[in-house]
Amino acid sequence: MAPETLDARNQVANAVKHASADGTREAEALYRSLLEDRRTVLGPDHLDTLITEHNLALAIFLQAKAETDPARRQSLLEQALAIESETWRRTEAAVGRGHDQALAAGSETAAILVTLGRLEEAERIYADIVPLMSDRLGASHWRTRTTLANHGRLLLKAGRLDRAVPVLDQALAAVHARAVLLAAESS
């Protein structure tokens, strides 16, 4: 199977994931099928294979966030964490700690941990990847802004207001800088 076909299937799964509330279940099935093919064609540690694993974990995480049954929600969160944390480890090994995809997998691993209530583990990850993300992507990049905001919310949830405020101020400044840039580009 041609890599271009695999890329197209990934884009279809991405679109399905965001199409509707039920789209995450269908996307999960699409990502699982694609993952098997990417492992066969490209190998397990090819960046595109790792991206598909990341997307699979996100689809499961989104299902968990929408789940009303506590036991099912917990199970989905644990599945998403198992996939994402392993994908993060392997992505760092394949392309380096500071690669965009490694940073994405680390950020999502932390977000899943926060949802599971494992705040200290998530805090260690955010403390590690936020500086890398700012250096690599820039403060106004959407992933940096989102990760900063998530980090700030974690600190609030943990009752660390003294640390949360500067992080959230930094996230807000990045959002403001991006808005100013977009306004300048549109005029």
Side-chain angles (χ1 to χ4, degrees):
M1 186 173 303
E4 295 79 13
T5 301
L6 298 172
D7 291 343
R9 287 174 55 201
N10 191 65
Q11 293 307 315
V12 168
N14 287 341
V16 167
K17 178 174 63 181
H18 298 290
S20 69
D22 294 330
T24 56
R25 283 187 201 97
E26 185 179 346
E28 177 188 352
L30 293 170
Y31 287 130
R32 285 188 188 281
S33 172
L34 175 59
L35 186 54
E36 286 182 35
D37 291 339
R38 278 194 160 165
R39 284 178 177 152
T40 300
V41 173
L42 303 172
D45 294 320
H46 188 281
L47 183 58
D48 289 343
T49 303
L50 295 165
I51 288 170
T52 300
E53 287 180 11
H54 169 75
N55 287 336
L56 171 62
L58 288 178
I60 296 168
F61 184 35
L62 290 172
Q63 288 175 55
K65 289 168 81 171
E67 183 58 57
T68 57
D69 174 35
R72 174 90 174 120
R73 176 182 166 88
Q74 182 73 21
S75 174
L76 289 168
L77 287 169
E78 293 292 343
Q79 287 177 51
L81 179 61
I83 294 167
E84 191 70 89
S85 60
E86 176 61 16
T87 299
W88 179 30
R89 183 191 66 74
R90 289 181 34 247
T91 302
E92 283 189 337
V95 294
R97 286 184 73 230
H99 189 278
D100 299 8
Q101 190 58 38
L103 296 170
S107 180
E108 293 305 330
T109 298
I112 296 166
L113 286 166
V114 169
T115 306
L116 283 164
R118 294 165 58 178
L119 303 184
E120 288 182 20
E121 291 173 74
E123 165 61 15
R124 285 192 297 272
I125 292 170
Y126 283 134
D128 184 47
I129 67 169
V130 166
L132 288 171
M133 201 173 272
S134 293
D135 289 346
R136 169 81 174 158
L137 304 176
S140 65
H141 188 277
W142 71 268
R143 186 170 303 283
T144 306
R145 295 188 318 260
T146 300
T147 302
L148 277 169
N150 288 343
H151 185 200
R153 282 194 293 276
L154 169 141
L155 293 167
L156 283 175
K157 192 174 187 176
R160 297 180 186 142
L161 189 60
D162 60 321
R163 292 187 53 216
V165 170
V167 171
L168 290 169
D169 282 346
Q170 190 179 0
L172 183 59
V175 169
H176 183 263
R178 180 68 180 156
V180 168
L181 178 65
L182 290 174
E185 287 176 357
S186 67
S187 55

